[in-house]
Amino acid sequence: MIRAATPADVPALCVMIRELAAYERSVEDARATEEQLHEAFFGEHPAAFALIAESDEAVVGEAPGAAEPVGFAIWFRNFSTWTGTHGVWLEDLYVRPEARGGGYGKALLATLARICTDRGYRRFEWSVLDWNTPSIGFYKSLGAEPMDEWTTYRLSGEPLRTLAALAQSDENPN
């Protein structure tokens, strides 16, 4: 079952984000706190959204029928100047190893595709690590096409601060 995340899901999301970071060999970079996630997803101006994939199996010690989170998709709206429409950017997709092969990843992606089509968005995009061949094969099986001619760039840390210092301090672009 796929559903929108609630504030009660934030602790589980934090744990699964760290599991994903470990899989992606970057656990030291996963520093988001529960407070940050709560504000990002449920604050006054949500910047991102999360879907939860739940197992139909009850969790030991929980009420009968309680569903266990086995995966998530974190996404936000982007915008294409070429199509003149919003789209969905999938920031992270994760299914716990014991739940892989159970259709959860496909169900999360299908839900996001439905959000796109229902809202008139023209693109659904994400990135994948080039060594992650299981995920690449999965995405290609769905008809996703790699954007090989594009390279992602990132500014963070000191280079980000250095560039920011070049902006006029009295500018307020938004």
Side-chain angles (χ1 to χ4, degrees):
M1 176 179 135
I2 307 302
R3 62 173 176 78
T6 68
D9 293 312
V10 170
L13 280 166
C14 257
V15 169
M16 289 190 289
I17 287 168
R18 282 167 181 66
E19 291 171 7
L20 172 61
Y23 174 76
E24 291 185 352
R25 307 173 191 158
S26 191
V27 73
E28 67 282 352
D29 294 324
R31 290 175 258 168
T33 66
E34 288 184 21
E35 293 77 21
Q36 289 171 317
L37 294 178
H38 190 276
E39 181 63 26
F41 300 141
F42 308 107
E44 186 175 342
H45 301 287
F49 308 92
L51 297 173
I52 298 291
E54 290 181 324
S55 169
D56 295 331
E57 299 175 20
V59 179
V60 176
E62 293 284 335
E68 175 184 1
V70 295
F72 70 87
I74 294 176
W75 65 279
F76 54 89
R77 288 188 328 166
N78 60 11
F79 183 79
S80 169
T81 56
W82 289 18
T83 68
T85 64
H86 285 287
V88 164
W89 180 266
L90 174 61
E91 180 63 21
D92 285 318
L93 176 72
Y94 178 71
V95 176
R96 289 183 155 149
E98 65 273 13
R100 292 180 189 155
Y104 298 107
K106 188 173 186 176
L108 285 162
L109 292 173
T111 301
L112 289 169
R114 172 61 65 90
I115 289 169
C116 284
T117 59
D118 286 354
R119 297 180 186 180
Y121 299 170
R122 303 273 303 275
R123 292 182 177 170
F124 176 20
E125 300 173 305
W126 61 92
S127 61
V128 61
L129 292 166
D130 58 6
W131 57 260
N132 192 346
T133 54
S135 293
I136 292 169
F138 170 60
Y139 298 144
K140 285 183 176 180
S141 77
L142 298 175
E145 299 175 6
M147 303 296 292
D148 293 332
E149 67 276 15
W150 293 89
T151 300
T152 302
Y153 283 84
R154 175 181 296 157
L155 272 175
S156 62
E158 191 55 38
L160 176 63
R161 290 186 289 278
T162 299
L163 184 59
L166 296 177
Q168 297 284 333
S169 62
D170 59 349
E171 290 179 7
N172 187 3
N174 287 323

